[in-house]
Amino acid sequence: MLQILDLSKSYRKTLAVDHVSFTVPDGTVGILLGPNGAGKSTIIKSVAGLLRFDGAISIQGIPNRELEAKRIFGYVPEIPALYDALTVREHIEYVRRAYRSDITDEEIDALLGRFELYDKQDKLGNELSKGMMQKVSICCALAVKPRVLMLDEPMVGLDPQAIKELKEVVLEQKAKGVTLLISTHMLEMVDDLWDEVFIMDKGHILASYTREEAGDKDLDAIFFGATAEEKKEEQAR
Ligand code: ADP
């Protein structure tokens, strides 16, 4: 479970996230949906422990800054950052050791196979295309065998086969009871994945809906409904 309580973050004069609270239960997929600049990455980076923030974040009930919390979450950043001098396989090996993950050699083979990296496993980080780097980054996060998995705009830069594979991975992780938080500005990419959607704009959650609450409305209708409401309120102010 991922819990965010009263999270605020400013970068100098920009208030990027303003008193945001939400929870994503075990075995569910939460989606942060909103335009560029809404504050999605800032929330995810705060959870990942990369930013100072006000408020409280817990991962399976453990404050996110504690090592015990860091050991059980996986994070795929918006822009993949690989080590130039490590091969694809060595990246996974590094994660396996750092996190003391019990992922087996066979599981690593299967993971690389799924993301069409098996025959590229001896290539160095700086020899890869942006899409391949993104796939290595996804494999590294999965190699942790996380309890909580966060993906920041994960579909950007992926080819259709990798997008299909990633969607399957998300559903498999969810079935295993993993908590997932995915940020995106592309509605169509997550339409078949979400359990709860948090619609963000200008550092706020404008509205949130579970699938049951949404009924037969699709994400498009929900998103544009919530943002139209907000515009009306802005004009009335
Ligand atoms: P999103 O992920 O929804 O596109 P971000 O969290 O990246 O949004 O950005 C939220 C706001 O914070 C934007 O106004 C953005 O310009 C600002 N911002 C993000 N990162 C920084 C930074 N490192 N320094 C200054 N402002 C930033």
Side-chain angles (χ1 to χ4, degrees), residues 11 14-17 34-43 45 78 152:
Y11 301 98
T14 311
L15 181 57
V17 175
N36 291 325
K40 307 180 298 296
S41 281
T42 301
I43 292 178
K45 285 182 190 158
E78 187 175 9
D152 195 355

Side-chain angles (χ1 to χ4, degrees), residues 38-195:
K40 307 180 298 296
S41 281
T42 301
I43 292 178
I44 289 191
K45 285 182 190 158
S46 301
V47 177
L50 302 176
L51 298 174
R52 288 178 199 281
F53 57 85
D54 291 322
I57 299 174
S58 68
I59 291 167
Q60 303 299 100
I62 309 162
N64 73 321
R65 296 224 169 253
E66 290 188 16
L67 195 58
E68 210 188 325
K70 290 183 181 175
R71 274 185 57 182
I72 54 170
F73 83 83
Y75 163 53
V76 179
E78 187 175 9
I79 299 162
L82 301 191
Y83 296 101
D84 285 353
L86 292 187
T87 65
V88 169
R89 183 96 191 184
E90 285 166 350
H91 275 85
I92 314 281
E93 194 58 46
Y94 179 76
V95 168
R96 169 155 72 176
R97 293 186 197 182
Y99 285 80
R100 297 194 203 128
S101 165
D102 63 6
I103 189 166
T104 62
D105 289 341
E106 292 71 30
E107 285 172 325
I108 295 176
D109 289 347
L111 195 53
L112 293 174
R114 278 188 93 159
F115 285 97
E116 296 180 318
L117 291 170
Y118 190 79
D119 56 351
K120 311 219 165 39
Q121 59 181 297
D122 295 323
K123 275 191 184 287
L124 291 170
N126 64 8
E127 292 174 325
L128 303 174
S129 70
K130 158 85 176 42
M132 284 180 210
M133 286 188 193
Q134 179 74 351
K135 292 194 280 188
V136 174
S137 188
I138 292 167
C139 291
C140 285
L142 292 168
V144 170
K145 294 208 172 169
R147 301 288 309 135
V148 175
L149 178 59
M150 296 184 307
L151 305 121
D152 195 355
E153 298 279 4
M155 318 288 187
V156 175
L158 290 185
D159 54 50
Q161 176 60 32
I163 290 176
K164 181 171 161 283
E165 214 55 63
L166 180 60
K167 286 182 175 182
E168 278 171 23
V169 163
V170 166
L171 294 173
E172 284 167 21
Q173 294 289 311
K174 172 180 143 135
K176 281 190 203 166
V178 172
T179 303
L180 292 109
L181 181 65
I182 304 175
S183 88
T184 188
H185 63 283
M186 296 192 288
L187 299 160
E188 68 283 5
M189 288 295 175
V190 292
D191 216 5
D192 42 1
L193 299 179
W194 66 283
D195 292 296

Side-chain angles (χ1 to χ4, degrees), residues 199 207 209 217 219-231:
I199 297 166
Y209 296 89
K217 276 195 220 151
L219 266 189
D220 237 37
I222 291 171
F223 179 76
F224 289 108
T227 45
E229 245 345 274
E230 172 68 6
K231 274 193 193 124

